[in-house]
Every structure is written in C-alpha cells, then in structure tokens.
Amino acid sequence: MAEITNDAPKPRVAVIGLVGRTNGGKSTLINNIVGEKVSIVSPVVQTTRNTIRAILDERRGQLVFVDTPGLHKAETKLGTLINKMARHAAANVEALVVVFDASESPRLEDEGWMRRLLAAEEDRPAFFFFNKCDREELHLDEYKELWNGLQREMGRTRKVRTFSGSAATGNGVEKLVDSLFDTAPEGERLYDSEILSDYPRQLAMADIIREKVFFNLKDELPHSVGVRIDHFEDGYDSWKIEATLLVMRASQKPIVIGPQGSVVKRIRLAAQKDIAEQYGVKVKLELWVKVEPNWITNPLILKQMGYLGDY
C-alpha cells in the first residue's frame, strides 16, 4: 500500500515589529494590513502607548504585528517607559519594519532607527516602508542619502528591503506583506485563525476613549490626560464600562469637561459608538474627570493603565 503524504506547504509564521517615530503612520499601516481597526489613529503625535499585536492569518501563513509606541524625546517617567517598550518590542521579533514619513525630512528619531539597524549584530530581515507617498512633497532622496551616509560613517552595510506607498490608501502595502511572507520561516501558527489581536480588551477600550480625547482636544492638552478603566461588566449582548479621565491640574478639568459638559459628552458618545461597533454589542459608557496631579509618575496608576508590566 502506497504511503500517503501531505505535500501541502507549511505555513510561514513570523512576529513583525513596526517601529518608527511618532505619527509616521504605523497604526494606520497595521489597521490597513489586517483590514480592521486594532490600533488607534489620531492626528496628534504619540498616540500609541502600548504595544499591540495584530494578527494577519492567511492560507500562506500568519504574521503577528507588534505596533510599538513611536520613539520621542522622553521628558517624563511615562515617556521613558514608552521608549523602553518600543525598544523591547523591537528586540523580540523575527523581522523589523521601520516606517518613515516620506512627506517630511528625516528627523533625529529616523536616524536613530537606521543606526540601530546598522549596529545590530543579528541578521534578521529588515524593511523600510516610506509612508505618505500620496502627498505632493516627498523627501525620499534625503532618506536615501542619510542611509548611505550612515553606512559609510559606521563602516557597515545591511541589506534592507525598501517599499514606498501610503498606509491610508493601501498603495504599496500588498507588496510589503508579500515580502514579509516570503521571508518568514516555516512554522506552526501562533494564534487561532479567528483571532484578530491578543491586546487585552480593557486596554483596547481605554485606547478608543483616549483616541476620542485626542480628536476633541487636539493639541490643547491630550498628553496630560490619562484613561483608566475602573469597572467593566460583560453581559451577553451589552457591556457597561466605567472609566476615568485623569488630568494633572485643576485648571485642566474644566477644559476636558467643556461648557455644560459638552466636551466630555462628545468624547463619551464617540467612544461608546466606536466600542459598540468594534465588538458588536450594546455599550453604556460612563466617564468621570478626576484631578490626579502625579498620575504620569505614579507606578500604581501606570500599572492600572497597562504601562507597567514586563518592561
């Protein structure tokens, strides 16, 4: 009797780190790749504060994306933690995608990621994705000159696969994903195929609320506002969420609340709608605003908000 063999190719599986400076488009890129919103997107810089794993599961395999916080100049304990989280996440992946904002000239943070790639001893696959190429003014030549100059300065070379496009429109994203699968090693899937993300649900809810804070307050004081989930009731087809918006000064509280409570109401309704749509349940969200002068340096509060863990 002839031996029955399974000639089906093994799936290709890899954990992919997305890194780059703040507001470069990493969250938009990850949402475009998986086809659903798993990471908050805002016009305000430094919106991603936790690493988020988004999972792309296809016939050819599985890519697990880690959306890291963007590196920035750390001026607070929270800022230092965020930068540490980004570097930690970037060190524990099979491949690294550095996202650059091609509509702007290179900055110090962009140079920093290039230097890290050149200085790294390991030879894991590395990718450059030049984002926002749908804009009129582009600076691709400046990035190329910077990369070539750093290789000469450091006396090292590194093979990097380069792609350009737009995370917002999807242009160039498919080619990037194809290359990620091509370089991924064969292995067993890390997650069940129906799982979109392993990001804790309550942290995801807090991120959605925080996104609405960013949109409603713009550059006024969003980075002084923290979101803490205080209570969560998971019913069969309805959820009740109680959360607190933490501000550092008494003068900030009326700004977040707004005239006759108009601002916090907009934040609450928008977040409530977004959470309901994302999870397919009825949602009742209650929001309070509390002055907590040292929340941004308080280890207990930071742990409650998901910023302290294995970092």
Side-chain angles (χ1 to χ4, degrees), residues 193-263:
S193 59
E194 68 271 11
I195 295 178
L196 177 67
S197 174
D198 73 345
Y199 191 46
R201 189 165 55 184
Q202 292 191 39
L203 292 183
M205 295 175 195
D207 268 356
I208 290 173
I209 297 170
R210 191 159 52 87
E211 180 185 53
K212 308 313 174 189
V213 172
F214 286 129
F215 274 112
N216 281 276
L217 296 178
K218 304 299 182 185
D219 292 320
E220 200 160 359
L221 70 149
H223 296 301
S224 299
V225 181
V227 180
R228 183 182 63 201
I229 303 296
D230 300 313
H231 181 71
F232 173 58
E233 291 183 16
D234 183 356
Y236 174 72
D237 60 354
S238 64
W239 292 354
K240 181 179 180 181
I241 307 165
E242 298 176 2
T244 299
L245 304 181
L246 302 175
V247 296
M248 291 191 289
R249 295 193 297 273
S251 60
Q252 296 172 338
K253 187 173 180 178
I255 298 175
V256 177
I257 294 175
Q260 290 80 50
S262 58
V263 175

Side-chain angles (χ1 to χ4, degrees), residues 10-11 13 62 186-191:
K10 291 184 178 180
V13 179
Q62 190 175 80
E186 292 182 345
E188 298 297 325
R189 283 176 163 81
L190 301 174
Y191 296 91

